Amino acid sequence: GRLVLVHRPQAPQSVLAMIRPVAAGDETVRTVRDTLSTLFGGTFTSRLMQNIREKHGYSYGARSGIADDGNELLTARSSVQTAVTGAALAEFKKEFDALASGNVTPEELGKAVRTVRFEAENLGATTASLASALAELAAAGQPLDLPRRQLAVLPTLTLEKVNAEARSGLYDWGSLLVVVVGDKEAALGQLAAAGFPKPEIVDAEGRPLAP
């Protein structure tokens, strides 16, 4: 894990991005992860959106997901007001830590399963959407019947299985590359006050800058 601050002088907002590679999995693992990803940051009612936007008003939106396009990456992101850079990142960490403890509720699981099922069932709603979905699967080296396989897995998901995956280290904050893009003069003090270690400071091209 690393914390990197990309200095953009007088930036009116801060962009927060978290990313880490994850090991590839079969259709069962992917379905469990899709379910977790949905309840964590994949919909308007997800944990991140309800916290960062609805509860605190730090941003218009906060999202997360796990890319399965051949590069297995877990990502989370938001653009927040400069004045709440540290506070917003602390809320992200709180949400990551909570999910990593395996605290998914039955209600969350039920809603996420319904969402994942709806999306899988509607991949072929139109000829264009079906062609796009199949092209993405082919480009990622995935079997073309992966959605059908995932639909078969969904009824077998249990709270224990989903929370076990959440506790597996998938959402371990210490394994993330955390990038903050914003004005360093505004962000450094906030990050320290929020309990974060001193970040690596770079310019927009990734060249190291003095603190």
Side-chain angles (χ1 to χ4, degrees):
R2 298 166 59 196
L3 175 59
V4 178
L5 171 60
V6 182
H7 179 43
R8 296 303 297 262
Q10 301 181 334
Q13 63 180 2
S14 296
V15 177
L16 311 179
M18 290 126 269
I19 187 169
R20 69 176 293 254
V22 298
D26 61 15
E27 58 266 20
T28 298
V29 172
R30 287 175 180 274
T31 306
V32 173
R33 289 177 178 173
D34 283 351
T35 304
L36 282 169
S37 199
T38 296
L39 66 90
F40 186 59
T43 66
F44 185 81
T45 60
S46 66
R47 292 186 180 190
L48 289 179
M49 187 73 84
Q50 291 301 303
N51 182 332
I52 304 299
R53 172 177 167 148
E54 294 300 294
K55 180 179 179 181
H56 289 101
Y58 291 157
S59 171
Y60 285 116
R63 307 284 288 188
S64 73
I66 300 178
D68 57 0
D69 58 358
N71 297 303
E72 305 289 332
L73 296 172
L74 183 151
T75 62
R77 61 209 174 275
S78 184
S79 297
V80 304
Q81 303 166 44
T82 295
V84 297
T85 302
L89 192 61
E91 291 302 319
F92 266 97
K93 183 178 185 302
K94 183 170 74 174
E95 294 296 346
F96 268 88
D97 289 344
L99 188 56
S101 73
N103 69 343
V104 176
T105 67
E107 292 75 19
E108 284 182 308
L109 177 58
K111 182 184 292 186
V113 165
R114 290 192 295 273
T115 299
V116 173
R117 178 184 294 115
F118 176 83
E119 292 177 350
E121 288 175 341
N122 283 273
L123 282 177
T126 66
T127 302
S129 64
L130 179 59
S132 176
L134 292 176
E136 290 178 5
L137 289 169
Q142 299 298 326
L144 298 185
D145 66 341
L146 181 61
R148 180 186 61 78
R149 297 185 190 186
Q150 291 187 295
L151 283 169
V153 170
L154 280 173
T156 72
L157 294 191
T158 64
L159 197 60
E160 292 73 20
K161 186 180 295 185
V162 170
N163 275 322
E165 182 66 18
R167 290 191 297 268
S168 70
L170 182 64
Y171 290 91
D172 174 33
W173 181 264
S175 299
L176 292 167
L177 168 61
V178 180
V179 179
V180 178
V181 183
D183 187 291
K184 71 174 184 178
E185 305 303 330
L188 282 175
Q190 294 185 49
L191 294 173
F196 293 103
K198 185 176 179 178
E200 302 172 39
I201 305 176
V202 300
D203 65 14
E205 302 301 322
R207 293 182 291 257
L209 294 176

